[in-house]
């Protein structure tokens, strides 16, 4: 059974700063407000238990990176690796040209453009489960202490809203094996490409991989600071 991804967004300009929401709960996402992360987690947990979904819930935090970008980190057993990847990502995002390109991507349902911090072994099913099927989801992974690879996932009918180079769909890229991971994706596409979400990858709640993919976890020169 695919995981339900829950995000806790820290909105410093809001009086009640923590906003909890699920990424794939339809056109109007379930969301809560709380003054602390812990309280937001409790409220979202209560909703999940009521829906019978607590056992398959994956939690993430989101922090503003400026220009409408939100960096998303999973709260899992690999949090230290994700924190390192985030530090590299934030260094790379100091490039105003890159920020400008990402900021023009179509926004997600709750606003802004999420940037998911990935580490080796993260599966495409895990990434796709975080897409709200509305706007863009940027997927990023650190290659070295100063380089990242990133691609943007956008519904096919919104691809024309960006000038990024279109690499095709995940199926076009041959990413249809059950064990497909972020490393496979990195091998298949150049940094800075746009990957389209086709109807196959956008059906059901949460989104699933193209047919034949089983559920799993959770500029060719690379971008540099």
């Amino acid at each position: 059974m695919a995981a339900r991804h829950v995000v806790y967004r820290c909105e410093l300009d809001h009086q009640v700063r923590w906003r909890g929401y699920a990424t794939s709960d339809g056109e109007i996402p379930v969301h809560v407000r709380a003054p602390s992360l812990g309280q937001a987690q409790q409220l979202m947990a209560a909703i999940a238990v009521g829906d019978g979904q607590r056992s398959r819930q994956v939690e993430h935090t989101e922090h503003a990176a400026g220009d409408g970008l939100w960096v998303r980190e999973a709260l899992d057993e690999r949090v230290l690796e994700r924190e390192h990847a985030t530090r590299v990502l934030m260094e790379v995002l100091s490039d105003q040209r890159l920020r400008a390109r990402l900021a023009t991507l179509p926004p997600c349902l709750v606003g802004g453009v999420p940037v998911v911090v990935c580490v080796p072994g993260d599966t495409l099913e895990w990434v796709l489960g975080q897409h709200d099927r509305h706007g863009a989801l940027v997927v990023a992974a650190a290659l070295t202490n100063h380089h990242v690879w990133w691609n943007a996932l956008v519904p096919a009918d919104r691809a024309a809203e960006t000038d990024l180079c279109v690499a095709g769909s995940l199926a076009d890229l041959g990413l249809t094996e059950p064990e497909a991971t972020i490393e496979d994706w990195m091998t298949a596409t150049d940094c800075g490409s746009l990957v389209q979400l086709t109807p196959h990858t956008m059906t059901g709640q949460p989104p699933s991989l193209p047919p034949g993919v089983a559920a799993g976890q959770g500029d060719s020169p690379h971008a540099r600071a």
Side-chain angles (χ1 to χ4, degrees), residues 36-184:
S36 71
L37 173 59
Q39 289 172 297
Q41 289 176 301
Q42 291 176 356
L43 291 172
M44 289 301 288
I47 293 173
V49 169
D51 293 342
Q53 298 175 315
R54 180 58 177 158
S55 62
R56 57 189 180 92
Q57 182 164 292
V58 180
E59 295 183 309
H60 311 257
T61 58
E62 273 185 355
H63 293 272
D67 296 324
L69 303 178
W70 293 88
V71 175
R72 180 183 297 175
E73 285 186 34
L75 298 174
D76 59 12
E77 68 282 357
R78 306 183 70 182
V79 64
L80 293 180
E81 292 178 73
R82 297 189 194 280
E83 287 177 354
H84 169 72
T86 296
R87 287 193 292 271
V88 179
L89 174 63
M90 293 304 295
E91 179 181 347
V92 171
L93 287 178
S94 65
D95 183 337
Q96 292 298 320
R97 294 169 300 177
L98 174 59
R99 295 170 68 88
R101 294 181 74 193
L102 296 181
T104 60
L105 290 168
C108 67
L109 278 172
V110 298
V113 178
V115 183
V116 176
V117 176
C118 292
V119 295
D122 285 341
T123 66
L124 303 194
E125 189 268 350
W126 183 82
V127 172
L128 286 171
Q130 298 181 55
H131 202 289
D132 68 359
R133 298 172 292 165
H134 177 77
L137 184 74
V138 178
V139 183
L143 297 175
T144 70
N145 288 337
H146 302 286
H147 295 70
V148 297
W149 168 95
W150 64 271
N151 268 195
L153 272 172
V154 178
D157 61 355
R158 305 201 68 181
E161 298 177 34
T162 173
D163 61 357
L164 294 180
C165 176
V166 178
S169 68
L170 292 174
D172 293 336
L173 297 170
L175 299 174
T176 57
E177 295 300 320
E179 65 272 17
T181 64
I182 190 68
E183 296 98 309
D184 298 319

